[in-house]
Amino acid sequence: MSTIERGRTARPPAPDGPYRRRRTATALGLCAALTLACAGTALAVRSFTHGGYLAPGDPATGSYAEEAADGDAAADALLSGPYTERPAPPRVTTRAAADRAAVSGGAAAPAPAAPPAKTAGLPVSRPLEAAPAAVSPAVGPLFSPGGDGDADHHCTASVVHSPAGDLLVTAAHCVHDRGFRTNLVFAPGYHDGVLPYGVWVPSRIDVDPRWADDRDDAHDVAFVRVRRPHGSAAGAQRIEELTGAEQIRFAAPAGLPTRTVGYPDDRETPVGCQNLTTAVPGQLRFDCAGFPNGTSGGPMLTGVDPVTGLGTVTGVIGGLEEGGDDATSYSSRFGPDTAALYRRATAERV
């Protein structure tokens, strides 16, 4: 969700089309104040947006390989604040692991995520309003330290299964705003200032070129490959091995029982809500109040395993109006284009 729309009274569209986010307007206002010829100085405007934490990447492909120094600096900035890395106990990430733990009487070692063998019923929430939700190791907030104008954590992301075990999915507007954001830090399972699974920074970000070019709301999806900051030894644990991972499904029909989860930017724990999705052109619609700023990129999950808490991502909060308003959330449809983006993100070497 955009930082101006979610949780606030809706405004009528601007004369030149749907209204944009406050940080875009701020950059343009600053441009005018400095008497810059905005139309001819895109790079100058870009340097002000998000405090300058942007890189052009490759607009033609919608990809960006982050400089290691940028990610390391962002992680250091976050860890210099009021946050504590406190290792969580080993995470049971599959039903098979849970069964082994039950037999052995001890905690099972994490294993790669597998499709749930049993799913929760996901009854519709009553009332239809997001409420405090259990923390999931595979879901967490995206932080953007460094005084870029956003709240401490401005969006939500989730770990999804991939061959390399290092992939997140979120909304494109969370990671690309007329350039790729270079100060992102992901904190899986975050709660109350505690970082139970450490912090992770991008090694590569992929968005659809149509988002990079024109913010096409049918393509408000991003895949982010992550690493530990400051390098790691060969064979080091990947994020999916530590937290487990959601599955991902493309071309899922509307009408599925769905749990949507996100971290509001003024809360230290997630909120969630359950309802059936409906289809609108190019989008999935999820009606439930209470998903304000910060919940953009949060997963829409089906088939949630009641033991592991893992499910299948069929959308992320974003898309139309960069996520909707306080009563309704949207997601760009995960169709063939999103499937192609996933294949590209997982095929590229980092």
Side-chain angles (χ1 to χ4, degrees):
M1 273 126 257
S2 73
T3 57
I4 189 167
E5 292 143 9
R6 300 308 305 243
R8 290 169 169 78
T9 302
R11 303 183 307 182
D16 58 348
Y19 57 88
R20 297 299 191 188
R21 292 180 288 169
R22 177 179 296 162
R23 46 183 174 265
T24 302
T26 300
L28 294 175
L30 180 57
C31 178
L34 295 176
T35 65
L36 296 175
C38 293
T41 55
L43 290 178
V45 174
R46 180 175 297 163
S47 70
F48 293 118
T49 309
H50 300 301
Y53 293 104
L54 288 178
D58 183 350
T61 63
S63 60
Y64 170 59
E66 179 163 288
E67 296 287 341
D70 288 337
D72 294 347
D76 290 344
L78 180 68
L79 293 173
S80 69
Y83 304 105
T84 303
E85 289 190 276
R86 185 182 305 155
R91 170 66 176 164
V92 174
T93 57
T94 66
R95 292 193 61 87
D99 293 341
R100 291 196 302 271
V103 170
S104 66
K118 180 179 180 182
T119 61
L122 300 183
V124 172
S125 297
R126 299 295 183 198
L128 269 177
E129 184 171 357
V135 172
S136 170
V139 180
L142 279 174
F143 288 82
S144 53
D148 64 357
D150 272 325
D152 287 345
H153 52 86
H154 70 283
C155 275
T156 304
S158 55
V159 183
V160 290
H161 178 62
S162 68
D166 63 352
L167 193 67
L168 313 179
V169 66
T170 188
H173 74 259
C174 292
V175 300
H176 185 284
D177 184 3
R178 293 177 297 156
F180 289 92
R181 301 182 69 157
T182 63
N183 63 331
L184 298 173
V185 182
F186 178 60
Y190 173 81
H191 64 91
D192 306 303
V194 176
L195 307 164
Y197 302 95
V199 298
W200 301 76
V201 297
S203 55
R204 181 183 176 90
I205 304 174
D206 284 280
V207 301
D208 192 289
R210 285 162 286 194
W211 175 267
D213 178 60
D214 194 35
R215 304 178 69 83
D216 185 337
D217 63 20
H219 302 284
D220 191 5
V221 182
F223 291 102
V224 183
R225 296 183 70 169
V226 294
R227 62 174 177 86
R228 289 283 201 183
H230 297 290
S232 56
Q237 194 172 39
R238 298 298 181 108
I239 191 169
E240 182 173 335
E241 297 172 314
L242 186 64
T243 66
E246 317 288 359
Q247 299 297 304
I248 188 165
R249 181 179 179 183
F250 306 107
L256 296 177
T258 298
R259 175 183 295 166
T260 298
V261 180
Y263 279 78
D265 64 10
D266 60 353
R267 294 179 63 103
E268 296 296 281
T269 52
V271 297
C273 185
Q274 296 175 181
N275 199 3
L276 306 181
T277 55
T278 55
V280 296
Q283 308 281 323
L284 272 183
R285 173 173 173 155
F286 183 85
D287 290 313
C288 183
F291 285 97
N293 300 342
T295 58
S296 281
M300 297 183 178
L301 298 167
T302 63
V304 176
D305 188 307
V307 173
T308 68
L310 299 171
T312 298
V313 181
T314 59
V316 295
I317 297 175
L320 187 64
E321 297 179 352
E322 296 186 5
D325 55 32
D326 190 54
T328 299
S329 297
Y330 295 96
S331 169
S332 303
R333 289 301 293 264
F334 279 20
D337 291 335
T338 307
L341 184 64
Y342 173 88
R343 289 193 297 270
R344 189 184 83 197
T346 56
E348 295 289 346
R349 300 184 65 179
V350 294

